[in-house]
Amino acid sequence: MNSRNLYIFEKAGMMGRRAQQKRAVKHAKQAKQRKAAASQSAATFAAVAASLPQLAATDDILFGPLDTPWGDFTDNYATVDDAVAAAEEAGGVLSCFSFDDSGEYERSLRRDTDGWRYEVALYPRGTLRELVKTSWLDADNHDQAVEQLRQALAAYVPEGLRRPGLETVQRPSTTSVPRIGWAQSLSVAGLQTWEDVRLAEKELPLSNLAPLADGPGNMCMVLPEEIFILFRAHGLAARDCTGCGAPVTNRHPHWPGVLVSLENEGGPVCDRSRLGGESLQRVSHVLDADQARPASKLTGKEQKVQCQHCDVHVTKQHPDWPGVWAEAGGYSRPVCAVVGSGCDDDQSYDLVDCVYPHIPAGADSPAAAAIAAAKKGGYFFQPCLPSFMESRAQ
């Protein structure tokens, strides 16, 4: 190799090393930036998470893993004997409402004629729970409706899952809506640790019913008409919207005379909305298919009345919502964009006030006090965690 070629080779090597050094510096800088960004993101996540109410409701699972109340219960009472002693002081019953991936439960220690028993109650959830609530609200005789609901839920259990000791029970509720579900119990004699209890509970046939507590499908599916027919056969109204299939009632205390669903934030808004085109207008639930029609559009003079809670302009003159204060523009929904209610799971199970109506400034309604309480709780409409923000930005 001559001197010129050697020079060129050495220069190329030097340039290659410099390029490598530059890349190394760049990569180190990028790594440092990523680390700083990750640290900032973690700090942001922690700050947002810390600002969220520490709830124990299934509605909040999307906002991060939460310890269930049952975990707190077993931390407070180290052994079964400790819990029995506390139940004795409490007058014979010590209960904990909790949930896991399989369902919503109330686990109790109860004094019976033959000694202390550990009871597990499984409650309906999703659309089946909604049917229970709307059927009770629709009833003329609420006391009679409780027994009718117990019979309907007993008949709902498939014959192959009916076992001795499986009962339909009513347990104390935190609101006017009764809490009704299925229960089984076992003696605590010989059970010392919560692991003993867990293993014994696994043998209860009640666990086989858990997948059906959402309805014969899952929480996101519409209940089949056969379930409504079953409830009607036991004297319950059990009405469903022809448009979206949701259980509905027009006897909600905050929505008198308006058909609403209770298990989501839609309330009086039917999922068949925007029939007949791209209109943003929202339509109501209907009981008769002939009543289903495309949404109308509000015309006329500009509306001056504002909702006292969300400040949108509202009107009682919208053709789709006669007599109901609905948003004058945009989606024209009658649902106020105010926070929901509920603070922990034993309250949210039988929650009646799913969403709230608009209330004009200076006016009042049966929902006013509930909205005032809900604004302090901050239950629905939580801020998105950073991971959700990033996914939506993409």
Side-chain angles (χ1 to χ4, degrees):
M1 181 180 294
N2 60 35
S3 59
R4 178 176 175 78
N5 289 340
L6 179 61
Y7 169 77
I8 294 174
F9 179 79
E10 290 177 345
K11 187 174 182 180
M14 186 180 297
M15 292 177 64
R17 286 193 295 273
R18 286 179 179 174
Q20 288 179 343
Q21 289 174 348
K22 287 183 178 180
R23 284 196 296 269
V25 171
K26 182 179 179 180
H27 291 163
K29 184 178 180 180
Q30 289 175 337
K32 186 177 180 180
Q33 290 173 338
R34 285 194 297 269
K35 184 177 180 181
S39 177
Q40 183 178 5
S41 179
T44 302
F45 181 93
V48 174
S51 70
L52 297 177
Q54 296 302 302
L55 306 178
T58 53
D59 303 281
D60 299 289
I61 291 176
L62 289 177
F63 298 104
L66 298 174
D67 292 332
T68 69
W70 182 243
D72 295 334
F73 183 91
T74 54
D75 286 342
N76 291 334
Y77 307 106
T79 67
V80 176
D81 286 342
D82 291 339
V84 168
E88 187 76 60
E89 292 183 8
V93 178
L94 185 67
S95 296
C96 176
F97 189 90
S98 63
F99 66 89
D100 58 33
D101 290 341
S102 66
E104 298 179 10
Y105 300 89
E106 185 175 14
R107 293 176 169 88
S108 308
L109 287 165
R110 297 177 178 272
R111 185 171 51 205
D112 203 353
T113 53
D114 60 348
W116 286 94
R117 300 187 67 82
Y118 171 75
E119 180 189 87
V120 184
L122 171 68
Y123 295 111
R125 63 178 180 176
T127 49
L128 184 61
R129 174 172 64 191
E130 187 173 2
L131 177 57
V132 170
K133 292 191 290 186
T134 56
S135 295
W136 184 84
L137 286 169
D138 270 345
D140 293 326
N141 186 324
H142 285 160
D143 291 335
Q144 182 182 21
V146 169
E147 181 58 30
Q148 291 169 328
L149 285 167
R150 288 181 65 250
Q151 293 175 5
L153 287 177
Y156 172 80
V157 178
E159 289 188 14
L161 296 180
R162 297 173 189 174
R163 297 287 187 274
L166 178 63
E167 304 176 273
T168 52
V169 298
Q170 179 188 8
R171 294 294 179 236
S173 171
T174 53
T175 72
S176 59
V177 179
R179 181 175 291 165
I180 303 172
W182 307 275
Q184 281 192 294
S185 66
L186 52 88
S187 172
V188 299
L191 302 178
Q192 298 180 348
T193 68
W194 294 115
E195 179 63 15
D196 294 336
V197 172
R198 187 186 70 83
L199 293 174
E201 181 180 342
K202 287 176 65 177
E203 300 302 318
L204 291 176
L206 182 71
S207 61
N208 297 322
L209 183 58
L212 291 174
D214 299 340
N218 59 50
M219 293 181 71
C220 299
M221 292 182 65
V222 174
L223 285 176
E225 186 62 24
E226 290 76 13
I227 307 303
F228 290 91
I229 294 173
L230 172 66
F231 274 55
R232 291 170 195 147
H234 287 84
L236 299 160
R239 296 184 290 175
D240 55 327
C241 172
T242 301
C244 65
V248 292
T249 177
N250 61 353
R251 295 189 180 185
H252 190 291
H254 300 161
W255 298 93
V258 180
L259 288 172
V260 294
S261 57
L262 307 182
E263 199 64 27
N264 55 59
E265 294 178 28
V269 178
C270 177
D271 277 349
R272 80 181 196 286
S273 290
R274 299 208 291 181
L275 276 178
E278 294 300 318
S279 170
L280 294 177
Q281 310 301 320
R282 295 313 198 204
V283 294
S284 59
H285 295 292
V286 291
L287 297 177
D288 187 339
D290 292 337
Q291 298 172 350
R293 57 182 174 79
S296 305
K297 185 176 181 180
L298 181 66
T299 59
K301 64 180 181 180
E302 181 182 356
Q303 301 299 318
K304 303 293 185 181
V305 179
Q306 283 185 293
C307 173
Q308 62 180 272
H309 292 288
C310 66
D311 295 330
V312 303
H313 288 89
V314 293
T315 177
K316 270 191 170 182
Q317 307 303 316
H318 196 286
D320 287 323
W321 305 100
V324 178
W325 287 104
E327 185 178 347
Y331 290 93
S332 75
R333 291 179 299 186
V335 177
C336 179
V338 70
V339 293
S341 68
C343 294
D344 44 46
D345 208 53
D346 59 346
Q347 292 176 325
S348 68
Y349 166 72
D350 44 17
L351 196 64
V352 176
D353 37 357
C354 52
V355 291
Y356 299 110
H358 291 294
I359 302 175
D364 199 358
S365 87
I371 290 178
K375 291 180 73 173
K376 297 178 182 178
Y379 189 67
F380 297 131
F381 300 103
Q382 303 285 9
C384 290
L385 297 181
S387 59
F388 287 96
M389 293 178 181
E390 292 170 3
S391 64
R392 288 181 181 178
Q394 294 172 357

